[in-house]
Amino acid sequence: MTEYYDALEVRKPAEREADLFLRLPNVLLKAMAAPAYAGHFRGIDPASVTTRAALARLPLLRKSDLPALHRAVLPFGGFVAGTPGSFGRLFTSPGPIFEPEPVHADPWRGARALFAAGFRPGDVVLNTFSYHLTPGGFIFDTSARALGCAVIPAGPGNTEAQFELIEAYRPVGYSGTPDFLKILLDTADSAGRDASSIKRALVSGAAFPKSLQDEIKSRGIDAYQAFGTADLGLIAFETSARDGMVVNEDLIMEIVRPGTGDPVSGGDVGEIVVTSLDPAHPWIRLALGDLTAALPGTSPCGRSNMRIKGWMGRADQTTKVKGMFVRPEQIAEIGKRHPELGRLRLVVTREGETDVMTLKAESGSPSEALRGELAATLRTVTKLQGNVELVAQESLPKDGKVITDERKPA
């Protein structure tokens, strides 16, 4: 298996699905040993959650809610069964959100992402993610060491000291943001320092546009992107196919309609929801607030797991209209009250000095009566008056947006 990290990456999708959902009930049981999860899933029998349909019926846990939950119940909001002393490292991210690192090997699941980017045992890796309080630096550090690499724990900044380390240790790999990689290369050129040993990179944490990709490639570095969070580690990663991102093993990814926990149709844009199968620190239906879409078929590289297009924006489209917040959850509630409709989209504009909102709704049987009913529901749910426009079925974009703000900034 020289092309792949292990045989799990190329097993049949049905085999992977069966394995994940065979393991899920036990992981869910362990999660419910934590008091907050026990309350969150009250009345649910873990043994019954053995399919995607059953999983989709569980309530979401929104990442955007974690800071308030963590402030209320220190240190982990009640969502971790273990004590702080049962973990290896303890971090915080802005919010605050407190993250523990399990003690087992590769706790952030990054070794296979590095392998897919060309890193191999014995490589020296310059890791420029921050090691200060947040998990970023250690996510890539522990992943590289799990692969068998030696790591230079450089962190960001202080390029002069980094050049001394690069010239002494001759790292072939880089992990960090794409922006800092460019800064490092530009500064090396202007200062006459030798950073030519770096030949491959795994980048994350910032946009990596085509123009920057081309520039990094022209400088002799083969760079790949990874998508991850401080809670879950590496979720998906690029491979040699350069065709979307492959979802990591031991994760169940769902893509749901924003404001709901309902899976979208295949290929539609929706919010990323992740369930992790690490019994030491499980996450069950964690809604990240990020948008993506699934790609059809198997990656040309041979890895058989689900593929996504990558990060496609934020799912939290909460908008203030006439001084009141309108949320995607409210638009989803309107849809539940009118199941005969297709997609819904609330468009916010401004006429003169007044905010105007128009609910566009896909309908196969438009009528004035339906328009009136929908306008009344819109007013009941949002407490705001709005227009209703009935449009043809399948006519609204499948881009994951349920609220669009078309007002020009002041």
Side-chain angles (χ1 to χ4, degrees), residues 89 91 101 108 114 119 123-132 134-145 149-158 161-162 165-166 169-178 180-181 184 198 200-205 234:
R89 296 186 179 94
F91 303 106
E101 181 185 84
W108 305 101
L114 288 160
F119 291 65
D123 285 352
V124 176
V125 180
L126 180 76
N127 182 31
T128 67
F129 283 107
S130 175
Y131 283 80
H132 182 61
T134 62
F138 286 97
I139 289 174
F140 286 82
D141 186 300
T142 59
S143 297
R145 290 193 296 115
C149 300
V151 179
I152 302 171
N158 197 1
Q162 296 217 20
L165 290 164
I166 292 170
Y169 291 122
R170 310 303 293 161
V172 299
Y174 167 94
S175 54
T177 66
F180 188 68
L181 178 56
L184 202 63
I198 299 174
R200 44 190 167 269
L202 185 64
V203 300
S204 191
L234 295 188

Side-chain angles (χ1 to χ4, degrees), residues 207-220:
F208 194 29
K210 182 67 162 55
S211 57
L212 184 53
Q213 293 177 37
D214 291 342
E215 179 177 348
I216 297 299
K217 185 176 181 179
S218 72
R219 298 169 89 157

Side-chain angles (χ1 to χ4, degrees), residues 94-288:
I97 300 175
F98 299 101
E99 292 111 351
E101 181 185 84
V103 296
H104 57 73
D106 200 16
W108 305 101
R109 309 172 191 84
R112 66 178 70 249
L114 288 160
F115 190 93
F119 291 65
R120 294 295 182 268
D123 285 352
V124 176
V125 180
L126 180 76
N127 182 31
T128 67
F129 283 107
S130 175
Y131 283 80
H132 182 61
L133 296 180
T134 62
F138 286 97
I139 289 174
F140 286 82
D141 186 300
T142 59
S143 297
R145 290 193 296 115
L147 181 59
C149 300
V151 179
I152 302 171
N158 197 1
T159 54
E160 181 63 30
Q162 296 217 20
F163 292 139
E164 291 181 3
L165 290 164
I166 292 170
E167 290 172 348
Y169 291 122
R170 310 303 293 161
V172 299
Y174 167 94
S175 54
T177 66
D179 313 65
F180 188 68
L181 178 56
K182 175 175 166 51
I183 290 170
L184 202 63
L185 296 175
D186 288 346
T187 306
D189 288 346
S190 62
R193 305 302 294 261
D194 183 9
S196 62
S197 63
I198 299 174
K199 299 299 182 186
R200 44 190 167 269
L202 185 64
V203 300
S204 191
F208 194 29
K210 182 67 162 55
S211 57
L212 184 53
Q213 293 177 37
D214 291 342
E215 179 177 348
I216 297 299
K217 185 176 181 179
S218 72
R219 298 169 89 157
I221 298 174
D222 197 17
Y224 293 78
Q225 300 180 75
F227 169 67
T229 70
D231 322 272
L232 289 154
L234 295 188
I235 296 168
F237 50 89
E238 273 191 308
T239 73
S240 57
R242 304 285 188 179
D243 190 7
M245 291 186 176
V246 174
V247 174
N248 213 337
E249 300 292 331
D250 295 326
L251 300 177
I252 300 171
M253 180 182 287
E254 303 169 88
I255 302 176
V256 307
R257 191 179 309 115
T260 79
D262 304 329
V264 301
S265 301
D268 285 5
V269 178
E271 182 179 6
I272 298 172
V273 173
V274 178
T275 295
S276 69
L277 298 186
D278 182 351
H281 185 211
W283 288 104
I284 309 296
R285 299 206 85 201
L286 181 65
L288 300 183

Side-chain angles (χ1 to χ4, degrees), residues 42-62:
R42 183 175 288 111
I44 293 170
D45 178 10
S48 69
V49 187
T50 57
T51 65
R52 283 189 179 267
L55 179 63
R57 289 193 288 269
L58 301 186
L60 296 178
L61 174 61
R62 295 201 168 276

